[in-house]
Amino acid sequence: MKNRTKLPVLYLGLVLALMYVPILVVILYSFNESKISSVWGGFSLQWYARLFRDRAMFEALRNTLVLGGASCAAAGVVGTLGAFGMTKVRLRGQGAVEYLSALPMMVPEIILGMVFMAFFSLIGLPFGMGTLVLAHTAFCIPYVFMLVKARLVGMDPSLAEAAQDLGAPPVRVFFDVTLPLTAPAIASGMLLAFAMSIDDVIISVFVTGVDVNTLPIKIYTQLKTGVTPEVNALCTLMFLATLAVCLLAAFLARERKAKE
């Protein structure tokens, strides 16, 4: 019998520890009575109570969710239509166009932020939620575009051709055949775009207005005066909400697989 090394198990354990131990520490210190996060002062729920009384924090959270939802929805529409169009046409510089479409993913965010700020100032667009949505949509489109295009390239073209042979017009083929088959890729791209949007700080700092504050910017500005365990409480609630959504998605996927 061959000797099996324990290195893969140790490596997996190390990776999981690096990923989840910081999250567990944040959850633990959200119940810390002390205002100093590095000092344990006993168990307390005061920071959760203070969090639910903090209107500014929830307003920043609401702005973040609205911004993420609007930008990922717009990126989903533009990215899907762009990927569908690129698979239907043949251009001489198609490779260069596809490279330029993915360029916002590779450009440093500080450069994108300065470019957006200069462009919005040039056209006289007032900074606020509108500029935030436009900027976030612009850098979220490539995530949807790349995933949907990969799905379209790997899709059997005979399915759409069969629908056309049966008399379905191109619009009907798109909505009845192409769109349902690419729906998982679209959803994955939009979820990735949503995650990138709600996590962004650098670009948002350059294009936000004085009256609009997002959650990442608020937490970033609080670093100057010190972050209280109230932020840990908010992170804990957001983590639990994300975990609940993931468990619900896994449950629904298992139920659908069982019906099949």
Side-chain angles (χ1 to χ4, degrees):
M1 184 176 180
K2 297 182 179 180
N3 294 326
R4 294 184 178 181
T5 178
K6 295 183 179 181
L7 288 179
V9 178
L10 295 176
Y11 175 76
L12 179 60
L14 178 62
V15 172
L16 292 177
L18 291 175
M19 291 175 58
Y20 291 104
V21 168
I23 297 177
L24 294 177
V25 171
V26 169
I27 295 175
L28 175 63
Y29 276 93
S30 68
F31 300 99
N32 186 13
E33 186 177 3
S34 174
K35 186 177 181 179
I36 303 176
S37 298
S38 59
V39 178
W40 179 257
F43 181 85
S44 175
L45 295 174
Q46 64 171 326
W47 301 111
Y48 286 91
R50 185 173 299 186
L51 172 64
F52 285 105
R53 294 194 301 265
D54 192 343
R55 294 185 178 180
M57 185 71 73
F58 276 97
E59 182 180 358
L61 177 60
R62 181 185 64 84
N63 291 335
T64 301
L65 295 177
V66 170
L67 174 61
S71 59
C72 80
V77 175
V78 177
T80 300
L81 294 179
F84 181 75
M86 291 298 295
T87 57
K88 292 298 181 181
V89 298
R90 293 294 180 266
L91 303 175
R92 179 174 298 180
Q94 186 169 357
V97 174
E98 293 180 357
Y99 178 78
L100 291 175
S101 301
L103 195 59
M105 299 172 59
M106 297 174 281
V107 176
E109 288 190 356
I110 190 170
I111 296 179
L112 285 178
M114 292 187 294
V115 169
F116 285 133
M117 182 182 65
F119 176 72
F120 294 147
S121 299
L122 180 64
I123 63 177
L125 193 64
F127 289 89
M129 182 59 73
T131 54
L132 281 169
V133 171
L134 290 176
H136 281 227
T137 300
F139 76 78
C140 285
I141 287 175
Y143 296 99
V144 181
F145 175 83
M146 298 296 291
L147 290 175
V148 176
K149 185 177 181 298
R151 179 67 182 95
L152 289 172
V153 170
M155 193 171 63
D156 188 0
S158 62
L159 299 174
E161 294 173 356
Q164 291 178 344
D165 292 339
L166 294 174
V171 177
R172 181 76 179 273
V173 173
F174 176 77
F175 284 102
D176 290 353
V177 179
T178 306
L179 189 60
L181 292 176
T182 56
I186 297 173
S188 300
M190 291 180 64
L191 288 174
L192 182 58
F194 182 79
M196 297 299 295
S197 175
I198 66 174
D199 190 50
D200 180 78
V201 178
I202 300 176
I203 296 178
S204 300
V205 168
F206 282 94
V207 299
T208 190
V210 295
D211 297 330
V212 180
N213 201 14
T214 62
L215 186 60
I217 295 178
K218 183 173 179 59
I219 295 176
Y220 177 74
T221 54
Q222 284 186 347
L223 292 175
K224 300 178 181 179
T225 58
V227 178
T228 65
E230 182 182 344
V231 176
N232 295 340
L234 178 61
C235 293
T236 300
L237 295 178
M238 294 180 65
F239 173 75
L240 293 178
T242 303
L243 182 62
V245 172
C246 292
L247 292 176
L248 179 62
F251 174 77
L252 294 177
R254 186 179 64 179
E255 290 294 324
R256 183 178 63 181
K257 187 175 181 180
K259 292 180 180 179
E260 294 177 354

